[in-house]
């Protein structure tokens, strides 16, 4: 029997489509699923697309692979992943590779990588973005792990990934948990992108009284300019959708409580640990949390708010477009800061320009805009913040008056725009010469003798607040 080039275990939609993608690219793919019916189904339905080598149990699956063995696990992230890894590790030999393609937490990936390294096995935690369609037609693939594993896996991953201008949307991200970390930040940015889109829609609908179908046209128009992206494109599709049963716009029959599987929350948790203000992602995550409290919303529904009528003219549309673009720049700048901070903290040596490159296609946040980010890091790999890149600085300058008008209109009309508002506050805070953090330091010293530094000399100081208020070196 011919041995397979690579194996996929876990054949739910993502795993099945990834296996098909590999087979369509000419790789012989070993396939396995806990319930064998799914494996049989795959071979029956799609066997004609390439070479599949089905196995009923893991031992047979591992035995059907060429050495060094390459196995991709596509199971739901969590305890189940550890169980599959343990079983595979028992059956594999030093030099073999286990790839986890689920949305695992990067700390779990670091732990698993270290444990398997002890056994001589390579563990590759990899982000895969693009949903079902991406898995089949070309996702963005973000693998971590050792250099050796990338040598053996990279050509295959680059082959099946999305391609933009002939460049594959996959690179070796960095060691251990780097791939899953980058995927986590991708998802955090995805939350932020969607929140900003939702705020744009909400404000325009409330202030202009525009219908979802009219707004679909607005998003379609925006998608022809600098906002050109997958999420803007599908926003037009969703807004245009009419519910067959009631004849109402689809968005009006969907319960307005946004769910999450957790990657947005993880991004914010990690950002808190790293001390990176990812306010855009945090606001998006909290906006979902707020939406999910119907009892509080019902209790607050009768609270006073401003009258909404006749607040905006058609010029608000262009203002909102500018606010969306500016806020998006802020959200991405923050996400890239978080990757830079993690790179330092965990010793990953992340190439931020390369991350922008592999997000240009295949993934959920794919956008023209990522070309600008790549160019910014090409021009200056040490860029302290994307906001300082000349292209983005100019875009922010061009947008800021509109951005301020949008936030003002939102406040006046009582339409919540936490994404726009916090992004503008971040922009204004970052560009400030002096921040009121100096007062915070004074207060900390007052009640807790926490000390402060001075602008004019070295060292730490304390003022004797309860005594004669003289200052002394701490
Ligand atoms: C992707 C998506 C994918 C998934 C999100 C959804 O890149 O293909 O990000 O990973 O759809 O995790 O996340 P929530 O359920 O948390 O919104």
């Amino acid at each position: 029997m011919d041995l397979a080039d690579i194996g996929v275990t876990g054949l739910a939609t993502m795993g099945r489509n990834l296996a098909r993608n590999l087979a369509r690219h000419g790789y012989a793919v070993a396939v396995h699923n806990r319930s064998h019916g799914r494996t049989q189904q795959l071979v029956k339905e799609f066997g004609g697309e390439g070479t599949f080598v089905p196995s009923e149990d893991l031992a047979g699956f591992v035995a059907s692979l060429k050495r060094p063995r390459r196995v991709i696990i596509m199971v739901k992230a969590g305890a189940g992943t550890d169980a599959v890894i343990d079983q595979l590790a028992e059956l594999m030999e030093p030099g073999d590779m286990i790839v986890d393609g689920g949305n695992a937490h990067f700390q779990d990936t670091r732990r698993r990588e270290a444990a398997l390294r002890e056994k001589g096995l390579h563990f590759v935690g990899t982000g895969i973005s693009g949903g079902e369609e991406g898995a089949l037609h070309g996702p963005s693939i973000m693998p971590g792990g050792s250099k050796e594993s990338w040598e053996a896996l990279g050509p295959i991953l680059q082959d099946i990934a999305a391609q933009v201008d002939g460049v594959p949307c996959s690179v070796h991200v960095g060691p251990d948990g780097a791939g899953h970390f980058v995927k986590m930040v991708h998802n955090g940015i995805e939350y932020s992108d969607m929140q900003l889109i939702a705020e744009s829609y909400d404000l325009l609908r409330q202030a202009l009284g525009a219908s979802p179908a009219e707004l679909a046209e607005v998003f379609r128009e925006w998608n022809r300019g600098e906002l050109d992206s997958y999420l803007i494109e599908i926003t037009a599709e969703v807004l245009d959708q009419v519910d067959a049963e009631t004849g109402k716009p689809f968005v009006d029959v969907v319960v307005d409580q946004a769910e999450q599987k957790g990657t947005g929350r993880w991004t914010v948790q990690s950002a808190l640990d790293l001390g990176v203000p990812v306010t855009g992602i945090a606001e998006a995550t909290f906006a979902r949390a707020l939406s999910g409290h119907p009892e509080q919303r019902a209790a607050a529904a009768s609270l006073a708010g401003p009258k909404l009528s006749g607040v905006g003219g058609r010029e608000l549309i262009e203002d909102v477009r500018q606010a969306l673009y500016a806020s998006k720049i802020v959200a991405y700048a923050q996400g890239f800061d978080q990757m830079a901070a993690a790179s330092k903290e965990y010793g990953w040596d992340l190439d931020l320009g390369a991350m922008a490159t592999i997000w240009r296609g295949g993934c959920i946040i794919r956008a023209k805009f990522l070309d600008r980010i790549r160019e910014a890091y090409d021009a200056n790999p040490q860029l302290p913040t994307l906001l300082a890149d000349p292209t983005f600085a100019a875009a922010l300058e061009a947008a800021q008056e509109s951005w301020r008008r949008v936030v003002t209109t939102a406040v006046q009309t009582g339409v919540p725009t936490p994404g726009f508002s916090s992004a503008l506050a971040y922009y204004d805070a970052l560009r400030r010469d002096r921040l009121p953090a100096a007062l915070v330091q004074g207060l900390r010293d007052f009640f807790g003798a926490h000390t402060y530094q001075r602008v004019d000399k070295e060292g730490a100081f304390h003022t004797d607040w309860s005594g004669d208020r003289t200052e002394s070196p701490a």
Side-chain angles (χ1 to χ4, degrees):
M1 183 185 81
D2 282 346
L3 293 174
D5 300 301
I6 189 162
V8 178
T9 177
L11 300 174
T13 321
M14 287 292 287
R16 185 192 62 199
N17 283 1
L18 201 71
R20 290 175 60 199
N21 186 350
L22 286 160
R24 287 171 171 199
H25 279 85
Y27 299 102
V29 191
V31 282
H32 167 264
N33 191 68
R34 203 160 46 141
S35 58
H36 190 52
R38 237 184 206 158
T39 314
Q40 289 171 314
Q41 186 73 19
L42 165 64
V43 176
K44 190 168 148 220
E45 262 185 70
F46 305 108
E49 293 184 352
T51 308
F52 294 102
V53 184
S55 290
E56 203 163 346
D57 55 39
L58 269 183
F61 171 70
V62 170
S64 72
L65 287 159
K66 273 183 200 154
R67 289 192 176 85
R69 302 179 182 95
R70 296 172 280 214
V71 169
I72 305 180
I73 306 176
M74 294 298 289
V75 299
K76 200 164 163 273
T81 312
D82 278 316
V84 179
I85 292 170
D86 289 348
Q87 289 166 34
L88 279 171
E90 285 293 302
L91 297 163
M92 292 174 105
E93 290 167 334
D96 288 351
M97 283 151 261
I98 300 180
V99 183
D100 174 12
N103 270 333
H105 193 288
F106 76 99
Q107 295 288 23
D108 285 335
T109 302
R110 298 182 79 210
R111 169 177 60 76
R112 289 166 180 153
E113 196 275 337
L116 291 187
R117 199 171 348 118
E118 295 274 294
K119 299 185 177 174
L121 296 173
H122 297 281
F123 185 68
V124 177
T126 186
I128 301 179
S129 177
E132 301 169 18
E133 286 296 296
L136 183 60
H137 300 292
S140 171
I141 309 181
M142 301 152 237
S146 64
K147 286 214 174 79
E148 297 93 297
S149 58
W150 171 250
E151 269 156 33
L153 283 159
I156 303 180
L157 299 182
Q158 292 193 324
D159 211 11
I160 63 160
Q163 316 283 322
V164 176
D165 305 331
V167 179
C169 293
S170 182
V171 285
H172 180 222
V173 172
D176 59 81
H180 274 143
F181 187 92
V182 165
K183 174 59 167 51
M184 178 189 78
V185 174
H186 164 284
N187 280 26
I189 291 176
E190 172 186 307
Y191 278 44
S192 176
D193 264 344
M194 287 195 281
Q195 175 65 22
L196 295 171
I197 287 171
E199 289 178 17
S200 303
Y201 147 79
D202 194 23
L203 185 61
L204 290 175
R205 191 166 181 192
Q206 301 303 323
L208 300 184
S211 69
E214 284 165 339
L215 292 173
E217 206 32 63
V218 168
F219 279 95
R220 217 162 265 135
E221 179 59 38
W222 288 357
N223 203 38
R224 290 191 265 271
E226 58 199 354
L227 285 172
D228 181 341
S229 62
Y230 172 67
L231 284 170
I232 296 278
E233 178 194 328
I234 64 169
T235 298
E237 302 286 320
V238 174
L239 288 176
D240 245 349
Q241 179 76 3
V242 174
D243 175 48
E245 215 173 302
T246 58
K248 290 183 184 167
F250 166 81
V251 277
D252 289 346
V253 299
V254 174
V255 173
D256 58 347
Q257 296 177 29
E259 299 179 2
Q260 63 160 309
K261 291 193 203 74
T263 42
R265 184 174 64 240
W266 291 348
T267 313
V268 180
Q269 285 169 339
S270 142
L272 288 171
D273 289 339
L274 292 166
V276 181
V278 292
T279 54
I281 299 169
E283 290 296 354
T285 308
F286 287 133
R288 289 195 193 187
L290 186 150
S291 77
H293 283 285
E295 63 308 327
Q296 289 187 323
R297 292 173 58 191
S302 57
L303 295 178
K307 298 260 178 302
L308 278 180
S309 60
V311 280
R314 300 296 292 177
E315 65 283 359
L316 185 63
I317 295 176
E318 174 57 13
D319 278 349
V320 171
R321 188 187 72 81
Q322 294 278 7
L324 177 52
Y325 189 53
S327 304
K328 186 178 164 97
I329 295 172
V330 167
Y332 279 67
Q334 295 175 340
F336 275 77
D337 284 351
Q338 184 173 358
M339 291 193 286
S343 179
K344 220 168 164 184
E345 173 75 16
Y346 303 113
W348 286 336
D349 199 20
L350 294 183
D351 176 346
L352 298 181
M355 297 310 108
T357 305
I358 63 170
W359 288 349
R360 293 186 308 160
C363 66
I364 305 297
I365 65 169
R366 61 185 180 264
K368 275 263 158 52
F369 172 73
L370 284 152
D371 272 323
R372 306 286 89 75
I373 298 185
R374 184 181 46 90
E375 285 158 12
Y377 284 114
D378 279 353
N380 180 5
Q382 305 309 327
L383 200 59
T385 164
L386 273 175
L387 305 194
D389 168 73
T391 307
F392 289 124
L396 291 164
E397 186 180 349
Q400 61 128 358
E401 293 298 343
S402 292
W403 200 2
R404 293 181 197 285
R405 277 196 296 272
V406 165
V407 172
T408 305
T409 305
V411 170
Q412 283 171 340
T413 53
V415 175
T417 53
F420 288 156
S421 312
S422 75
L424 182 56
Y426 176 88
Y427 171 75
D428 281 335
L430 209 58
R431 62 180 195 82
R432 276 294 289 278
D433 172 27
R434 295 272 301 156
L435 286 168
L439 175 58
V440 172
Q441 285 296 79
L443 295 172
R444 292 179 64 245
D445 190 56
F446 189 105
F447 63 68
H450 293 299
T451 78
Y452 53 88
Q453 288 170 306
R454 294 182 54 100
V455 295
D456 50 2
K457 23 180 179 182
E458 289 292 307
F461 298 89
H462 169 62
T463 290
D464 181 10
W465 296 102
S466 55
D468 63 2
R469 305 214 164 176
T470 55
E471 182 180 81
S472 50

